[in-house]
Amino acid sequence: MGSFSGFTDRNKQKSIAVHLEGALFISTDLFPYFVLVALEAGGLLRAVALLLFYPIIWLLNLTRHRTAALHAMIFISTFGLKIHSIKAVAKATLQKFFLEDIRESSFKVFSGCGGKKYVFTRLPRVMVEPFLREYLDVDCVVGTELKVIGRTCSGLVDPTGADRAEMEWFQALKVACGDDQLIDVGLAARSEDRSFLLLCKEHYVISPQEDASPLARKDYPKPFIFHDGRLVTRPDPMRFLAVFLWFPFGVFLAIIRALVGIVFPYKLILPITALNGTRIRIRVPETQKQTDPKSIVESPKTKGTLYVCNHQTLLDPVVLSTAILRRVSAVTYSLSSFSEVISPIPTVRLTRDRFKDREIMRSMLERGDLVVCPEGTTCREQYLLRFSPLFAEIADKIVPVAVRARGSMFYGTTARGYKWLDSPFFLMNPFPWYELNLHDPVSGRPDSKELCYDIANGIQMLIGKTLGFECTNLTRRDKYRMLAGNDGIDQRN
């Protein structure tokens, strides 16, 4: 058995076999990943059923009946689900939590090997293989195989997978790499099966004392931009229990917070929201600090002010309206009927016809202030999507607004779920938080179409610099194709 010291630099062309749980990943607990599948693919009741069964799962693991515990989690979380829905969750939701669980020291060893890469895991292969191939360039994944009838999961395990006796790990690796070939490096967790190390020239075992530092975001093998799912943090048993217990109170609190925004005048909303746990911070330009935020811009050729924001949640225009103490209107490409009904500000749906949309926004500006989010969709990570230049054609003066929103328990956005629940979920967080950074106005309505693109790119870079976000050329279509398998054209559910 060896040490990690000096390992990476001398193994550029070597092959490696590694156990996922406890070796490449920090945690050996599979429960959070099954909770995510149960919640996102099966619904809240299925996830709660898995939580209620957890004491039995814990007892089975404690008495070394790990296979029985694994089978129980698989049955509860996958029985009756379509296999494509599990694949969708694996790609859209699980990858975030897999990345956060990577052990930094093990990743350096793993990425330092330039030969073929083999990974063993007790997780169902369908749940983990997309991540391993996309982010870690794994050549072969040996995992538990789900038994599928037609396109529906039976909740049972196919005996041809990695759910085997210990020496059969040896056979699985032997088949994967060929009878006459040995793996150069083997990396395993002390608490897991290590039989596959018999086919490895060098053995490295992760001890309980090994550094458990997670891989830093800057060291991720590729940029991580899009993901889906409602839970912000990894749903370990105690954390998910806290979410479950908070849920009814969160629903009540979301209703109260929504009613405050609808019923009370703007001057009272900010102090009342502070009392119910909502935090809203506004920063105005140095040149405007001696004036009221609501009087930052009055365009000479239009009656209203055009505010251009990056998009964090559906509440962006509502929060901006609260911060500047006056009503604004908002335009959107997709908004559920429920969100339109409960919105305290006027909203208008755009048509995706450039000329029609330009006229719609111009007419709204003539009647008052207007908020646009030119990304066209939200992005949870620290990236800005491409800004559509249409807004630069309709106003003489434009106020860029850098927006940052955060919740500790629930995400207020979704690509695959019910969008009418986006705002309620954000308001259900114990302490939802918003920060608005208003900038000095910039000129719009240039003489050429090319200058509109320059204005849009310039505002994107300004907002990105303010927030510390990276600017990209990705679009709404890119996001929805990755997360939902569609172009995101009709998202009114």
Side-chain angles (χ1 to χ4, degrees):
M1 304 301 174
S3 168
F4 286 161
S5 301
F7 186 92
T8 302
D9 294 337
R10 57 188 176 89
N11 288 277
K12 291 295 184 183
Q13 301 304 319
K14 291 189 176 182
S15 57
I16 184 171
V18 59
H19 201 283
L20 194 63
E21 300 88 37
L24 189 56
F25 284 180
I26 298 171
S27 175
T28 60
D29 186 11
L30 305 182
F31 179 81
Y33 303 122
F34 286 109
V35 167
L36 290 166
V37 170
L39 180 64
E40 298 297 333
L44 180 61
L45 291 180
R46 186 186 292 261
V48 171
L50 184 58
L51 176 65
L52 295 176
F53 201 76
Y54 177 74
I56 298 176
I57 295 171
W58 176 82
L59 185 61
L60 289 172
N61 281 320
L62 185 67
T63 56
R64 298 183 181 275
H65 292 86
R66 295 197 308 167
T67 300
L70 176 65
H71 286 194
M73 289 188 290
I74 289 175
F75 183 82
I76 296 172
S77 60
T78 69
F79 173 72
L81 296 181
K82 299 296 183 182
I83 190 66
H84 69 80
S85 65
I86 297 177
K87 291 180 179 179
V89 172
K91 187 171 181 61
T93 304
L94 294 183
Q95 291 184 350
K96 169 185 182 291
F97 299 95
F98 287 152
L99 282 169
E100 292 174 351
D101 201 21
I102 293 178
R103 187 190 302 267
E104 182 180 24
S105 56
S106 298
F107 176 76
K108 289 180 179 178
V109 174
F110 189 80
S111 61
C113 292
K116 286 192 174 182
K117 298 177 179 179
Y118 305 85
V119 172
F120 294 88
T121 177
R122 292 188 294 125
L123 280 168
R125 185 170 59 87
V126 69
M127 289 170 54
V128 74
E129 187 172 36
F131 165 76
L132 293 175
R133 292 192 181 275
E134 180 177 354
Y135 281 88
L136 302 182
D137 296 323
V138 172
D139 297 284
C140 178
V141 181
V142 181
T144 302
E145 299 291 343
L146 300 181
K147 195 166 186 177
V148 180
I149 301 175
R151 297 180 181 179
T152 304
C153 292
S154 66
L156 304 178
V157 170
D158 191 327
T160 61
D163 177 38
R164 351 168 156 239
E166 285 195 3
M167 286 307 296
E168 293 190 24
W169 284 95
F170 175 90
Q171 295 297 331
L173 182 57
K174 194 172 183 180
V175 170
C177 65
D179 292 337
D180 58 348
Q181 184 177 352
L182 292 178
I183 304 298
D184 293 306
V185 180
L187 182 62
R190 187 176 297 277
S191 60
E192 300 292 331
D193 164 44
R194 302 192 296 275
S195 61
F196 69 88
L197 294 180
L198 297 174
L199 280 177
C200 300
K201 297 176 184 178
E202 300 179 44
H203 301 172
Y204 295 86
V205 177
I206 304 293
S207 67
Q209 292 75 34
E210 184 68 35
D211 182 19
S213 299
L215 184 66
R217 181 175 291 271
K218 64 181 178 62
D219 296 325
Y220 282 179
K222 60 181 291 188
F224 183 63
I225 301 176
F226 298 128
H227 60 92
D228 205 26
R230 289 297 187 188
L231 297 183
V232 172
T233 58
R234 173 186 168 96
D236 296 318
M238 294 308 296
R239 286 179 182 170
F240 190 59
L241 176 61
V243 170
F244 174 66
L245 295 176
W246 171 263
F247 197 87
F249 184 72
V251 171
F252 173 76
L253 199 55
I255 294 172
I256 296 299
R257 287 166 172 168
L259 289 175
V260 168
I262 296 172
V263 174
F264 289 92
Y266 290 113
K267 290 184 178 181
L268 295 180
I269 291 177
L270 281 176
I272 294 176
T273 54
L275 291 175
N276 64 39
T278 306
R279 301 290 183 262
I280 299 176
R281 178 184 299 173
I282 179 171
R283 296 180 178 177
V284 300
E286 292 291 334
T287 56
Q288 300 292 335
K289 283 194 173 180
Q290 302 303 317
T291 64
D292 196 341
K294 68 181 180 181
S295 61
I296 286 179
V297 173
E298 290 296 341
S299 175
K301 294 185 181 180
T302 58
K303 294 182 180 179
T305 300
L306 179 64
Y307 296 92
V308 175
C309 309
N310 61 300
H311 204 4
Q312 293 282 279
T313 78
L314 286 175
L315 295 172
D316 295 343
V318 178
V319 174
L320 177 60
S321 178
T322 301
I324 64 175
L325 303 179
R326 67 185 184 198
R327 173 172 291 213
V328 301
S329 300
V331 292
T332 177
Y333 282 114
S334 59
L335 191 67
S336 68
S337 299
F338 175 79
S339 298
E340 285 183 302
V341 170
I342 68 170
S343 175
I345 63 173
T347 58
V348 175
R349 186 176 289 117
L350 298 178
T351 65
R352 300 185 187 277
D353 182 295
R354 183 181 185 85
F355 299 102
K356 291 182 179 178
D357 291 343
R358 182 170 55 192
E359 293 307 313
I360 289 173
M361 289 191 285
R362 277 180 176 170
S363 64
M364 294 179 71
L365 263 178
E366 290 175 358
R367 296 194 298 267
D369 296 336
L370 178 64
V371 180
V372 298
C373 299
E375 290 175 287
T377 189
T378 57
C379 183
R380 295 175 175 179
E381 298 302 317
Q382 296 184 7
Y383 295 90
L384 295 180
L385 307 189
R386 188 179 70 193
F387 276 31
S388 168
L390 183 59
F391 68 87
E393 302 176 16
I394 64 171
D396 302 291
K397 296 292 182 181
I398 302 165
V399 178
V401 184
V403 180
R404 193 193 304 265
R406 185 171 62 236
S408 60
M409 195 171 283
F410 304 108
Y411 283 114
T413 62
T414 184
R416 298 177 56 254
Y418 294 104
K419 295 190 73 65
W420 68 272
L421 289 173
D422 284 358
S423 297
F425 264 110
F426 184 78
L427 295 175
M428 284 170 58
N429 281 293
F431 299 101
W433 178 87
Y434 249 96
E435 180 180 313
L436 306 175
N437 293 270
L438 279 74
H439 291 271
D440 288 317
V442 300
S443 298
R445 282 190 179 179
D447 296 329
S448 67
K449 184 177 180 180
E450 288 72 19
L451 290 177
C452 289
Y453 286 95
D454 292 338
I455 292 172
N457 292 336
I459 291 179
Q460 183 199 38
M461 288 188 289
L462 175 64
I463 292 177
K465 182 179 179 180
T466 301
L467 298 174
F469 288 7
E470 182 177 337
C471 298
T472 75
N473 279 322
L474 297 172
T475 65
R476 174 190 178 91
R477 179 176 295 180
D478 296 320
K479 171 185 170 179
Y480 277 89
R481 282 184 174 178
M482 176 182 173
L483 298 181
N486 58 59
D487 289 342
I489 293 177
D490 188 10
Q491 299 290 326
R492 302 181 188 180
N493 58 333

